[in-house]
Amino acid sequence: MGCDQRAAWLLATSRLMHPDQELVARARFVEELRARGIPADPTRISRWESGSHPVQPQVSAAYEQILGLSAGSLSAVTVGMRRAFGSQVVLREQVPIDDSGDLESLLDEVTSERPTGVAWQRMATTLTRHGRVFLRHGEWEELATRLVDELARAVGISYVRRFEAAVTLLRHPSSSSPMSRALGTYVIDPDAQVLAPVLNLLCEVYEQQASDLVLRLLHTERMPLRRAAASVAADKLRRGHFGPSSLALLEEHACHRLRHEDPLEGGLDALDLATQLPAASFTTVLESIGDRRVRAQLQGARATSELVAAPQAARVVAEAVACIQADATGENAEPDPMLRRLVREALLHPHKPRRHHAAVLLGASPYRHAVSRACHTMTGGDNSFLAARAWTVLMRVGHAGRRSEIALRALSEGRPALRGRALVNLGLNPEPISPGEARAIIAGLRAEAEQVPVRHGALFALGMSGAEELTTLVDHGSDAVRRGSRWWVAHGPAIHDHVLAPAAAQRTS
């Protein structure tokens, strides 16, 4: 099922599962579409929602307006998916954000105290109406630096909107150079605490310099940056950005990582990279691995596009989807094949962008809260790998009102890798952590400062929440904690377009 079918599924479920039953009726929906200038009739809606006719971004935007959804919650998600996996025709489409107003006023808006993702998209879309836009060097640099910095801290649809704006600016002749410089400056900062959300922009840059940068980053001493670079390298390899001369370096990196790291834990990005290699290179990597278990995992991922054995994958997904459908639509609901496919990909696909876009699509759908509840249950299971994958899906779909349970797990989970993911989820939640929670996180950090997942998760939770207690760590005995906390003090907190910035005066114990 391709991009058209996924976009169609998102439109169909958003309409058919909407609480306003009048909007479920096609006749009423046709009226609403026509009122917004979209030529529509029942047959055309059927074609859009079945995937037999491509859904244009303007149609997705009209669905958002009619269904009372936030701007970009459908259109930005589907355009991003199509750019990653669709045709070159789709790559030229723009998200239809209202671009009324002159460019100068839009530039003022994105440089205001608290710009939104919609403002960034409006500005970027308006920019494309002009072949060249002349700003002073410092103004371009400030604009690009600010967007990259916000991209690192934006959450959910706030991130999706900014990512789409950043891609647009990277491809415009007037803003591509300052955006590339801002991206490079951010990446080489040795103290940067959020890497993958920003580094993923390199997947959208076709120039050789971007590919060369990724190859250099694969050999950096910074482990988080190496892992993020491996994920970007896997996607750029899939997109054809690397030539034959790069294969030896990619093989070498995959071989080394898979021999020294469990591919279902720290080496998951290396496994992704290996599965994207051409057949001869893949064989080279496979033959270099002495551990038969790792070899079997790598062969299975390449052959089945799943991270676990097929029978286990089928069982896990069947149980999860049954719970999700019963939760969202009732016990007697008709099976939803696309839901099953998306859940399977979000949890178990070896290619990280495929997992990401499947989870983002679920997060944009009416199933999101049911998916969240099912994943939350899975995070408490004995299978640490499946629990880790479920925590990652939760980062994309949200927490369905279970914030207090996530906070408890973030403070009590006995498995460090999973506690790190729980702490990251706590930081992504729009409700800031309380002083009591902050003190508990810091106490745990004192005991496990050398556990990288826990340290990263603890600093992320404190930083994204804008916790005042973070300042007590700027003189911490651990160099990594000290430098990380200073970065967060300078850059945080999280950006949620629909939520006011965290305010210390409003926090309670």
Side-chain angles (χ1 to χ4, degrees), residues 115-338:
T116 65
V118 171
W120 279 110
Q121 280 191 278
R122 290 176 65 211
M123 185 277 293
T125 302
T126 302
L127 190 68
T128 64
R129 309 286 191 256
H130 308 276
R132 286 282 179 180
V133 175
F134 294 96
L135 297 178
R136 286 177 292 185
H137 177 79
E139 292 173 328
W140 273 128
E141 296 296 323
E142 179 185 359
L143 193 73
T145 299
R146 179 165 191 168
L147 179 55
V148 169
D149 180 67
E150 289 190 16
L151 194 63
R153 298 176 291 115
V155 179
I157 191 62
S158 305
Y159 170 80
V160 173
R161 292 169 178 141
R162 284 170 175 81
F163 192 87
E164 294 305 315
V167 171
T168 301
L169 293 181
L170 271 172
R171 294 178 174 174
H172 192 278
S174 295
S175 52
S176 60
S177 293
M179 280 297 299
S180 295
R181 286 193 293 271
L183 176 56
T185 300
Y186 182 94
V187 168
I188 64 174
D189 180 354
D191 297 329
Q193 298 294 295
V194 183
L195 292 167
V198 175
L199 201 62
N200 287 339
L201 278 174
L202 288 174
C203 296
E204 309 298 333
V205 182
Y206 290 77
E207 284 73 15
Q208 185 62 42
Q209 296 94 318
S211 298
D212 293 342
L213 173 60
V214 173
L215 291 175
R216 291 197 300 272
L217 294 177
L218 289 176
H219 296 87
T220 181
E221 295 182 359
R222 297 166 59 199
M223 181 181 65
L225 186 53
R226 283 201 311 272
R227 290 180 177 176
S231 173
V232 172
D235 199 33
K236 288 180 77 67
L237 182 60
R238 181 191 64 83
R239 298 186 189 207
H241 294 189
F242 290 115
S245 62
S246 302
L247 292 179
L249 289 173
L250 297 173
E251 290 172 17
E252 178 188 358
H253 180 80
C255 288
H256 178 78
R257 289 279 305 280
L258 290 172
R259 285 198 299 262
H260 293 87
E261 297 184 70
D262 188 329
L264 298 188
E265 293 181 7
L268 188 56
D269 291 323
L271 182 144
D272 183 4
L273 176 58
T275 59
Q276 300 298 325
L277 288 167
S281 297
F282 177 78
T283 299
T284 299
V285 173
L286 191 64
E287 291 176 348
S288 75
I289 299 172
D291 188 321
R292 286 186 293 179
R293 180 181 64 89
V294 176
R295 285 170 59 91
Q297 290 169 343
L298 185 56
Q299 285 178 305
R302 174 87 164 195
T304 66
S305 294
E306 290 175 335
L307 290 169
V308 299
Q312 183 185 17
R315 183 178 67 255
V316 168
V317 172
E319 292 174 357
V321 171
C323 291
I324 292 166
Q325 282 208 267
D327 184 351
T329 59
E331 295 288 347
N332 299 318
E334 289 290 324
D336 187 333
M338 182 60 77

Side-chain angles (χ1 to χ4, degrees), residues 354-426:
R354 183 73 73 174
R355 295 196 302 271
H356 168 78
H357 282 282
V360 168
L361 205 61
L362 288 168
S365 79
Y367 285 110
R368 60 187 174 277
H369 294 320
V371 171
S372 176
R373 287 186 281 267
C375 285
H376 190 273
T377 299
M378 198 178 297
T379 61
D382 294 332
N383 188 314
S384 295
F385 173 69
L386 291 177
R389 303 276 62 74
W391 275 121
T392 303
V393 174
L394 279 172
M395 297 176 194
R396 311 287 185 262
V397 302
H399 302 143
R402 294 194 171 187
R403 191 265 182 198
S404 59
E405 297 174 45
I406 288 173
L408 180 62
R409 295 281 298 283
L411 298 173
S412 63
E413 171 62 66
R415 295 165 285 187
L418 299 185
R419 184 157 72 257
R421 285 177 167 82
L423 284 162
V424 168
N425 269 273
L426 186 59

